[in-house]
Amino acid sequence: RISNSSTRLVTAICPSPADLAVSKLAAGPPKDIDFVRVLVGSGLVTRAALESAASELAPDSRRAVMERLARMG
C-alpha cells in the first residue's frame, strides 16, 4: 500500500504479480485464467510463486486456486 503526499493521500494498492494472478485464479472467469496462463507463459510469474501466494488463502479459496492452476497444465 502506498499513501503519501505524492499520491495526494489516496491509498494505492500495488499487489505483486503472484498476488494478482492468485486473485484472478480465485475469481475464476475464463478470461482471468487466460491472463494467468499468459503471465506464467511469459515468465512474469512462476508456478512456485503462485503456489506460495495461494498457501496464504483460506482453505476453500486455496483449493479452488490449486485446482485451477492444475487444470492450466
Side-chain angles (χ1 to χ4, degrees):
R1 293 181 180 257
I2 298 171
S3 181
N4 58 37
S5 60
S6 295
T7 65
R8 297 185 187 150
L9 301 179
V10 172
T11 300
I13 299 172
C14 308
S16 72
D19 288 338
L20 175 63
V22 165
S23 72
K24 292 201 169 279
L25 287 171
K31 68 180 181 116
D32 287 350
I33 305 300
D34 291 341
F35 179 80
V36 174
R37 190 174 285 116
V38 169
L39 287 177
V40 172
S42 66
L44 291 171
V45 68
T46 65
R47 292 178 84 83
L50 295 176
E51 291 169 3
S52 177
S55 73
E56 299 178 26
L57 298 174
D60 289 344
S61 296
R62 181 175 51 247
R63 190 171 17 265
V65 166
M66 296 306 290
E67 287 172 2
R68 290 175 181 135
L69 187 57
R71 284 195 302 262
M72 284 176 44

